[in-house]
Amino acid sequence: MSQIASGSEVLGRLEAVLVRKQQHRWIDLPSLGVGLLVLLGGLFYVWQHVQAVQLGYEIEQLKQERAAFVERERELTLEIARLKSPKRVEEIARDRLGFITPAPDQIVIVPQRP
Amino acid sequence: MRRNTHAARAAPCSRARVLVLFCVVASFFGLVTLKLFSLQVKQHQRLLERADRQHRRIIPLAARRGTILDRHGRELAVSLEAASAFAQPVAVKDPGKAARELSPILHLPPSEILKKLKDKKSFVWLKRRIDPDQARAVERLRLKGIHLIPESKRYYPKQGLAAHALGFVGMDDRGLEGLEYHYDALLGGGPRWAVSYQDALGRPIFKEGEANPGYNLKLTIDEFIQYIAERELERAVEKAKALGGTAIVMDPMTGEILALASFPTFDPNRYQASPAAARRNRATVDVYEPGSTFKVIMAAAALEEGRVTLQDRFYGEQGAIQVGRVTIRDHEPYGWLTFGQVLAYSSNVGAIKVGTKLGKSLSYSYISSFGFGSPTGIDLPGESPGLIRRPKSWSQVSLGALSIGQEIAVTPIQLATAMAGVANGGVLVRPFLMKEVIAPDGKVLKVTKPLRIRRVLSEATSRTLTDLLKMVVTEGTGKLAALEGYEVSGKTGTAQKLDQATGHYSRGKLIASFVGFVPAGAPKLLILVMIDEPKGEAWGGTVAAPTFREIALGTLKYLKIPPSPGDKVHVALKAEHAVSRLD
């Protein structure tokens, strides 16, 4: 009898625990969800902030690289301009390559065909 | 049951612990709240400003100066970035150490740097526009109070080419002379400051604002024609052992300046190394008495007004004429001359008689109408207006003197512009150098249109005068300007310089010049050559005319302007004649 009684008592307790657990589940899940959402939101906020700063660094770095390339291009353009200086070209043509200015009678003008 | 008893015993103890913990946490939060209140409310404004100062930094930017290009887009002036080192003396902890470390990098004596670092100013330049290697070395030192800022450095890749037209910029990257000065507002760009947001370590996160680069300018100058003009001018000046000279090449139809050369010249990259006299743009600043080249203007006026005709003959008085108390002579005694011959042989006596027929009032009116006595409006700074006195202050000699190009001071650009008026059918055009304004993205913002100032001659007079000026080259004083295959119209000039010491015209100090256009029938080029104080055989026809010829020949070839068919026949006949003579 006592065994039966204790068995029913155990069952009663178990039921109570289950009910309590069920009650707890019903209470805890939404708060857990909200908590998680808040946490995720916070993390997202921090993450995007960190990302923005990180991208800022990268953009600035790329801008500097771009500026350096643009500058290099300008330096090379300047160098080309210097090398193409008519005085330099003429000196090379005349002194190194032996070119001469053609005399008027050495120039033949070929008329365009109609 | 045992458990319940245990729990009942533990409850007061646990509550006490919870209470203590609560108090600790509450007081902690209380302190945090108080601190927060202090930071966020009480010190809000002050800290906000402090944070702002730490995160935001105003940084100087090098607003890149626009590029100057020739008419075909070839670079004549380009800016590159160059760092400049500066110090904030107050922030430098150990000036002696800093000076010792910076000295070998900046190639400055330590004492000089130390002097700057001990300065009481909040900002001192250490060295401006240093090489990239030097800049990196300064950066590596990481000295407190020593900084670098980007600046722009101007380079002229063709060295002295078109130096007088281009001008140069000063230390602050602002134009000081020439087109650099005249178009400084367009070339300069701006603004020159930006806001940079940085982290706690001073690394830039984000930059607000970009320096707007200046506009690019495309000139009317052709790099190659400029080179030819400079080369030939230099040769002429050196050959004649002259003081200097000027050569102008212009499109007489539009007023576009294709070349503007002055000698002596300078390198705008190192303009401080040259004397001020070499930097003077003789073409627009110097005034001189034009001499016989001015006879063209008086002849044009006389023809236009019908005061002379081609049939008129003038007696040369065997080479001397009395004007007031002055005797004016010809370089050779002449008898009867036609109007054309007066110009061709450059007879002073004949020219004075033409001037007398024209009269004071009309002479002055035409001289002014051709633009003498006022600036041409060329887009260069410091242009001289020249000097022409009003008829009421003329002496008895003045009209005669003016007829042969004396008692008037002109600039080479004025004379070239006036002659362009004769060449192009009678319209005075404004000479100009800036053809286009181009935005940094390549978009053309402005195109300079040729400006017709006024009609000075009828087309008929212009044609007649062009024919007369051909005679100057074919049979007159300008024979050395002749080009095979091309008709040339032009006029020589040999003017005595006024001796400042005596107040009289000097016999030895002359200005030799030639101004002409080619091909005469359809002029493409107007060229003026002026040589200052040539030695030896110093006539315009012997010193300046051959230089005109060489510039014209080189330019016509470069522009691929073929000889006219009529002249080809002329050349062919000459060749045939030469062959037959050989036979």
Side-chain angles (χ1 to χ4, degrees):
Chain A
M1 196 55 194
S2 65
Q3 271 185 343
I4 296 165
S6 68
S8 62
E9 196 181 321
V10 167
L11 278 171
R13 275 187 197 164
L14 193 65
E15 202 178 322
V17 167
L18 283 173
V19 168
R20 207 162 49 232
K21 274 194 174 172
Q22 266 184 345
Q23 277 173 349
H24 277 170
R25 197 180 293 157
W26 281 112
I27 295 161
D28 287 350
L29 270 179
S31 14
L32 196 70
V34 170
L36 271 173
L37 274 175
V38 170
L39 186 70
L40 279 175
L43 281 174
F44 178 73
Y45 176 76
V46 173
W47 174 80
Q48 68 160 6
H49 205 72
V50 169
Q51 279 295 307
V53 171
Q54 201 60 39
L55 285 172
Y57 287 135
E58 280 175 34
I59 289 167
E60 204 52 41
Q61 179 67 29
L62 289 170
K63 272 186 182 174
Q64 280 178 15
E65 276 178 36
R66 183 182 172 273
F69 282 128
V70 169
E71 200 57 25
R72 184 73 190 128
E73 194 214 345
R74 290 182 73 87
E75 279 173 30
L76 294 171
T77 308
L78 186 75
E79 186 63 10
I80 292 168
R82 196 184 64 75
L83 295 171
K84 279 186 171 177
S85 160
K87 190 175 183 185
R88 183 179 171 274
V89 171
E90 193 189 34
E91 276 168 7
I92 291 172
R94 203 179 286 277
D95 304 338
R96 211 185 297 170
L97 305 173
F99 282 23
I100 54 159
T101 310
D105 58 348
Q106 289 175 307
I107 300 170
V108 177
I109 293 158
V110 182
Q112 276 188 327
R113 283 185 184 176
Chain B
M1 275 301 283
R2 246 193 345 246
R3 194 177 281 176
N4 282 349
T5 317
H6 180 73
R9 261 203 327 256
C13 180
S14 169
R15 268 203 297 274
R17 275 191 295 187
V18 167
L19 198 67
V20 169
L21 192 66
F22 173 78
C23 286
V24 169
V25 171
S27 42
F28 173 73
F29 275 100
L31 283 172
V32 169
T33 311
L34 275 174
K35 187 66 186 170
L36 268 175
F37 179 78
S38 165
L39 292 174
Q40 297 282 4
V41 182
K42 281 181 80 179
Q43 301 184 60
H44 176 81
Q45 196 57 35
R46 190 179 67 82
L47 291 173
L48 195 71
E49 283 167 11
R50 194 169 149 192
D52 206 38
R53 274 203 303 276
Q54 284 175 355
H55 290 139
R56 274 165 30 120
R57 198 156 71 103
I58 306 292
I59 53 163
L61 293 173
R64 192 192 299 284
R65 205 169 167 80
T67 301
I68 303 181
L69 307 155
D70 89 334
R71 65 187 294 119
H72 297 297
R74 294 173 286 211
E75 292 84 0
L76 298 175
V78 181
S79 282
L80 289 184
E81 218 169 71
S84 287
F86 72 93
Q88 291 169 307
V90 194
V92 181
K93 279 188 177 162
D94 185 349
K97 182 173 167 268
R100 278 194 304 280
E101 286 181 345
L102 285 167
S103 168
I105 299 169
L106 300 177
H107 308 302
L108 289 172
S111 56
E112 193 182 320
I113 299 176
L114 191 63
K115 197 179 158 195
K116 286 178 177 176
L117 296 182
K118 284 187 171 171
D119 205 306
K120 292 213 165 39
K121 287 178 197 160
S122 59
F123 177 102
V124 281
W125 288 114
L126 293 176
K127 194 165 185 180
R128 295 184 78 175
R129 298 188 178 91
I130 56 177
D131 294 336
D133 290 343
Q134 290 176 299
R136 276 189 287 272
V138 172
E139 245 173 3
R140 272 198 298 271
L141 288 178
R142 292 181 171 275
L143 290 169
K144 215 172 171 198
I146 309 293
H147 305 279
L148 293 169
I149 60 166
E151 284 199 290
S152 179
K153 188 172 180 180
R154 200 67 160 161
Y155 291 92
Y156 301 90
K158 311 290 161 67
Q159 279 91 40
L161 192 85
H164 294 95
L166 294 174
F168 48 86
V169 296
M171 257 304 177
D172 58 354
D173 213 29
R174 288 290 175 198
L176 295 181
E177 275 289 352
L179 291 162
E180 293 274 28
Y181 177 80
H182 194 83
Y183 290 113
D184 193 50
L186 287 174
L187 287 163
R192 293 175 168 239
W193 303 92
V195 180
S196 170
Y197 293 89
Q198 58 191 19
D199 64 10
L201 294 173
R203 290 176 300 183
I205 304 168
F206 170 69
K207 201 163 72 184
E208 206 172 59
E210 293 283 335
N212 294 327
Y215 295 125
N216 302 325
L217 297 186
K218 189 184 259 190
L219 305 185
T220 57
I221 282 183
D222 185 303
E223 177 187 284
F224 201 77
I225 300 174
Q226 178 73 31
Y227 171 65
I228 296 170
E230 287 184 9
R231 184 188 63 193
E232 297 306 328
L233 178 69
E234 186 177 347
R235 280 181 189 165
V237 170
E238 284 179 355
K239 194 178 167 195
K241 295 182 178 67
L243 285 185
T246 296
I248 300 170
V249 184
M250 186 174 169
D251 179 342
M253 297 299 175
T254 59
E256 287 176 52
I257 301 289
L258 302 172
L260 191 76
S262 285
F263 190 87
T265 187
F266 69 102
D267 182 355
N269 292 301
R270 299 178 295 113
Y271 68 92
Q272 301 99 326
S274 55
R279 301 201 296 257
R280 198 177 70 237
N281 190 349
R282 289 166 173 264
T284 57
V285 173
D286 276 14
V287 292
Y288 69 110
E289 290 193 355
S292 298
T293 45
F294 198 72
K295 288 172 186 165
V296 178
I297 308 304
M298 299 299 271
L303 274 174
E304 182 74 10
E305 289 298 317
R307 300 295 169 106
V308 292
T309 64
L310 294 182
Q311 288 72 42
D312 285 352
R313 289 161 70 84
F314 299 86
Y315 185 58
E317 310 285 348
Q318 295 308 315
I321 191 168
Q322 193 71 25
V323 182
R325 287 177 299 170
V326 182
T327 306
I328 294 174
R329 296 179 193 281
D330 270 334
H331 52 91
E332 272 179 55
Y334 294 113
W336 285 99
L337 297 168
T338 62
F339 180 56
Q341 286 170 324
V342 168
L343 277 178
Y345 302 142
S346 201
S347 162
N348 287 338
V349 177
I352 288 166
K353 289 185 174 179
V354 172
T356 312
K357 281 196 168 196
L358 192 61
K360 278 186 183 182
S361 172
L362 277 174
S363 296
Y364 181 78
S365 159
Y366 272 86
I367 289 168
S368 304
S369 173
F370 268 101
F372 296 103
S374 47
T376 60
I378 190 170
D379 39 356
L380 281 174
E383 188 194 358
S384 167
L387 187 67
I388 169 77
R389 287 182 293 136
R390 292 187 174 278
K392 62 182 177 190
S393 57
W394 288 5
S395 69
Q396 278 184 312
V397 190
S398 295
L399 184 58
L402 274 166
S403 306
I404 59 169
Q406 292 183 340
E407 287 200 20
I408 181 170
V410 307
T411 59
I413 193 71
Q414 276 180 332
L415 195 62
T417 308
M419 193 66 160
V422 174
N424 68 17
V427 179
L428 193 72
V429 288
R430 183 180 72 94
F432 65 98
L433 281 157
M434 195 271 283
K435 200 173 167 66
E436 287 173 9
V437 179
I438 304 165
D441 62 2
K443 196 176 160 192
V444 177
L445 299 177
K446 189 190 166 197
V447 178
T448 311
K449 286 183 184 148
L451 179 68
R452 295 160 65 97
I453 297 170
R454 67 183 88 89
R455 178 164 281 284
V456 285
L457 294 175
S458 66
E459 282 189 37
T461 307
S462 161
R463 273 198 300 274
T464 308
L465 201 56
T466 299
D467 287 339
L468 293 178
L469 293 174
K470 281 186 211 168
M471 273 173 66
V472 175
V473 178
T474 53
E475 59 184 81
T477 52
K479 281 180 191 154
L480 293 179
L483 291 164
E484 273 189 47
Y486 300 93
E487 284 188 315
V488 177
S489 289
K491 183 76 192 79
T492 56
T494 312
Q496 291 171 300
K497 282 177 88 172
L498 201 65
D499 195 324
Q500 298 293 338
T502 60
H504 295 290
Y505 285 106
S506 162
R507 282 193 174 274
K509 292 178 180 175
L510 302 168
I511 287 183
S513 56
F514 186 89
V515 57
F517 46 93
V518 63
K524 299 275 186 227
L525 304 171
L526 179 126
I527 304 170
L528 176 141
V529 178
M530 189 269 267
I531 310 288
D532 188 8
E533 287 192 30
K535 308 286 181 302
E537 188 78 1
W539 299 100
T542 56
V543 176
T547 310
F548 167 93
R549 182 184 183 280
E550 293 306 319
I551 296 173
L553 202 61
T555 309
L556 288 165
K557 264 188 219 164
Y558 166 70
L559 294 176
K560 296 188 174 70
I561 297 170
S564 55
D567 293 301
K568 267 174 83 178
V569 172
H570 178 64
V571 174
L573 283 174
K574 268 176 71 178
E576 218 168 81
H577 179 64
V579 171
S580 66
R581 276 207 323 190
L582 283 173
D583 293 342

